[in-house]
Amino acid sequence: MVSCFLTHAEVVVDPEVPIESWGLSAAGRRRAAAAHRLAWSPDVGRIVSSAERKAEETAAVLARAVGSGSDVEVEPALGEIDRSATGYLPPTEFEAVVDAFFARPDESVRGWERAVDAQARIVAAVRALTRIGDVTVVSHGAVGALLLADLRGVPISRALDQPGMGSVFTFDPRRWRACSGWARVG
């Protein structure tokens, strides 16, 4: 059996709205509605989301698509990297800071949460969630990259980042290993 890690789909970017409150765009809703093809199996018993709106909305669309009889659970420890020190950054500046975040995992880049600390938080949360069975985790790209590095037993690297919003990989939580790389939801 395997668990799935799914990133939220495309969002409406609004610099005037807190990042954790951004919701899905129309394209994001369409992608989330197709996620069940890659991010779900009948053996998965639960859907657990980050507490951020974009992830919760993606998880809710997935739950409707699979006819999940249970509510989506929310786990705050699955939240995105704490980047409240900078808030919204224009795309070019944001990408440069993300590059530095992954390149220097033991440092706080511009006040952001250190990658090593975020990885420890995320790994502990996913291990706890999967202790009682397989799960689909709905979270964020950097969160997935940090989890994937740990599952593969390799150093933190941006090379493990998702190919785009609305991407998924599978993993075996009992053996603690990745079963696939990223695949983009169609």
Side-chain angles (χ1 to χ4, degrees):
M1 304 306 156
V2 298
S3 288
C4 303
F5 185 95
L6 172 67
T7 64
H8 64 78
E10 290 81 1
V11 299
V12 175
V13 175
D14 184 348
E16 301 300 316
V17 173
I19 296 165
E20 61 275 2
S21 297
W22 290 351
L24 293 180
S25 66
R29 288 193 177 285
R30 285 191 299 276
R31 187 178 303 282
H36 67 282
R37 295 182 191 122
L38 297 175
W40 184 260
S41 81
D43 298 322
V44 170
R46 301 161 40 223
I47 300 172
V48 183
S49 172
S50 152
E52 294 188 27
R53 179 179 169 198
K54 52 195 163 270
E56 287 189 83
E57 287 181 1
T58 300
V61 171
L62 174 63
R64 282 193 299 278
V66 299
S68 176
S70 63
D71 292 330
V72 171
E73 298 172 46
V74 174
E75 174 49 63
L78 296 173
E80 183 58 280
I81 308 315
D82 180 357
R83 47 189 211 239
S84 57
T86 60
Y88 172 81
L89 295 172
T92 304
E93 186 178 357
F94 173 76
E95 292 300 327
V97 178
V98 172
D99 286 343
F101 168 84
F102 281 104
R104 301 190 313 263
D106 294 318
E107 296 177 27
S108 172
V109 177
R110 292 190 53 185
W112 285 16
E113 179 178 22
R114 295 181 328 150
V116 292
D117 297 330
Q119 185 182 52
R121 165 179 57 86
I122 294 155
V123 167
V126 172
R127 282 188 180 273
L129 289 168
T130 56
R131 223 172 259 130
I132 59 172
D134 286 309
V135 62
T136 290
V137 172
V138 182
S139 190
H140 311 275
V143 172
L146 295 171
L147 178 62
L148 191 54
D150 195 76
L151 288 163
R152 289 184 175 172
V154 299
I156 291 170
S157 167
R158 186 147 195 206
L160 297 173
D161 203 0
Q162 66 178 340
M165 293 181 199
S167 293
V168 63
F169 67 81
T170 57
F171 65 100
D172 181 337
R174 284 156 293 289
R175 293 189 174 124
W176 200 252
R177 65 175 181 83
C179 298
S180 74
W182 288 107
R184 188 98 193 269
V185 174

